[in-house]
Amino acid sequence: MPRSTLLIAGSIAIDQIATPNDNRKNIIGGSATYAMVAASHFADVSIVGIVGSDFPAAGHQLYRTYAKNLEDLYIANGKTFSWGGRYEKNWNDRVTLFTDLGVFAGFTPHLSARNVGVQTALLANIHPVLQKSVIEQSKAEVVILDTMNLWIEITRHELDEVLTMTDYLLINENESELLTGEKDIKAAAEKLIDYGIRQIIIKQGSNGAHYFNSNEHISVGVFPVERVVDPTGAGDVFAGAFAGTIASSGSCTDGLVYASALASVCVEGFGVEKLSNVNADDLQQRIEYLKGTLNL
Ligand code: AMP
């Protein structure tokens, strides 16, 4: 059977990351990068995004390796999106040091005919105006959306517009409280479902993730990672694996398991270093473990 295609629009970044143990510069990151590597396990990936003239050869190589279609990957004069983050000693709290949109500022893609026709689209974390522009051009029947606290805080109106076009929303616990005012995730999910988004996935970091629709609640745990090296990108990987699974089989339960498995691999290295070297037996072992944590 031919593989399904997943359209991914999101940030493509050069990151600077400080963890309690290490500091790294010039890591190839961004929501689209992490999501692409994860989704490539399940679907052929088409990318919508932009990089600057400073984007390194290794970054271009990564995109050639994991994406099937780069027609809508723009290369512009200027600086690639860059982001810096520092994790506190508890590893849970992250401080954003800087966000420099670079060539993403004012970027409006014109989707190629091939990408207009893709059936499933993941709008990975990026400015909601850009997410909206991609959704409006695309004929996707399934729209999966990820976002973050920054956009909820500074572009709420634009985000609300995008939410009316969303079939699956992925957010973490803090973001669900920020969006709905509800601390309890079930109450938050109910509010979002009332708002018209039929399927909500709320991630609780090391406590797992929950899927809600109007009559189902499914949860999955986490794989116990021996040593966390860098949590950056775990949310994007989760979104990419979930969306890739939805594109290929439509199964939310499988999506939760595969998303949690790949997110556990992501945090074991900086950037996509572990994710791009994961071996099939290791991944399968994580998947089997996580199937045992499902609560249907
Ligand atoms: P996560 O750890 O899942 O929140 O994702 C971290 C990645 O998101 C990093 O590689 C950043 O480059 C990227 N990122 C951080 N802030 C933003 C933002 N405001 N919009 C889009 N991408 C971002």
Side-chain angles (χ1 to χ4, degrees):
M1 217 170 83
R3 295 206 341 147
S4 309
T5 301
L6 176 69
L7 184 71
I8 300 181
S11 61
I12 303 171
I14 300 177
D15 290 340
Q16 250 185 57
I17 297 164
T19 72
N21 299 335
D22 208 347
N23 288 312
R24 293 286 179 92
K25 280 188 173 160
N26 299 326
I27 292 177
I28 295 155
S31 59
T33 304
Y34 286 106
M36 165 184 73
V37 177
S40 69
H41 285 267
F42 314 100
D44 289 346
V45 175
S46 278
I47 290 290
V48 183
I50 187 166
V51 295
S53 34
D54 58 347
F55 196 58
H60 285 289
Q61 185 54 42
L62 189 75
Y63 270 77
R64 281 196 296 270
T65 305
Y66 288 98
K68 199 79 182 178
N69 177 358
L70 294 174
E71 262 172 89
D72 291 332
L73 173 62
Y74 294 69
I75 304 171
N77 274 330
K79 279 185 65 185
T80 300
F81 179 105
S82 65
W83 174 84
R86 190 187 68 232
Y87 292 87
E88 302 295 5
K89 288 224 154 42
N90 65 13
W91 288 89
N92 281 328
D93 298 324
R94 181 170 81 187
V95 181
T96 290
L97 301 173
F98 60 89
T99 303
D100 182 354
L101 291 181
V103 290
F104 262 100
F107 168 56
T108 315
H110 295 285
L111 287 200
S112 58
R114 193 143 61 119
N115 281 339
V116 166
V118 176
Q119 288 303 294
T120 310
L122 169 63
L123 289 311
N125 176 36
I126 191 67
H127 198 299
V129 167
L130 176 53
Q131 294 180 316
K132 184 178 165 203
S133 147
V134 174
I135 301 172
E136 282 178 342
Q137 294 176 63
S138 124
K139 293 202 172 106
E141 276 172 14
V142 180
V143 171
I144 304 166
L145 192 99
D146 192 7
T147 190
M148 72 184 292
N149 52 359
L150 175 75
W151 306 123
I152 300 171
E153 279 160 358
I154 69 170
T155 55
R156 181 60 194 259
H157 174 71
E158 294 87 338
L159 181 62
D160 280 345
E161 279 187 359
V162 181
L163 291 178
T164 64
M165 306 167 178
T166 298
D167 298 299
Y168 294 83
L169 172 65
L170 291 135
I171 41 179
N172 69 31
E173 204 175 5
N174 296 336
E175 292 154 0
S176 75
E177 185 181 350
L178 208 55
L179 260 179
T180 63
E182 299 286 351
K183 222 178 172 56
D184 175 66
I185 58 164
K186 199 157 189 280
E190 277 166 10
K191 260 199 178 169
L192 291 163
I193 290 168
D194 282 348
Y195 187 75
I197 312 163
R198 290 203 313 277
Q199 330 214 45
I200 315 289
I201 296 94
I202 302 183
K203 298 160 286 170
Q204 288 187 303
S206 54
N207 291 318
H210 300 257
Y211 163 90
F212 298 92
N213 66 23
S214 57
N215 52 40
E216 275 177 306
H217 175 187
I218 306 169
S219 68
V220 69
V222 292
F223 182 80
V225 167
E226 267 173 38
R227 201 168 78 92
V228 175
V229 172
D230 171 22
T232 308
D236 309 313
V237 164
F238 193 101
F242 184 82
T245 309
I246 293 297
S248 71
S249 73
S251 165
C252 293
T253 311
D254 287 351
L256 287 178
V257 168
Y258 300 155
S260 185
L262 281 159
S264 76
V265 176
C266 173
V267 303
E268 290 183 345
F270 277 98
V272 296
E273 67 187 4
K274 277 282 161 172
L275 210 55
S276 49
N277 285 309
V278 62
N279 88 43
D281 289 346
D282 179 5
L283 190 57
Q284 198 51 42
Q285 209 188 325
R286 293 173 199 237
I287 289 170
E288 292 309 324
Y289 175 91
L290 288 163
K291 281 184 184 164
T293 69
L294 277 171
N295 222 319
L296 298 165

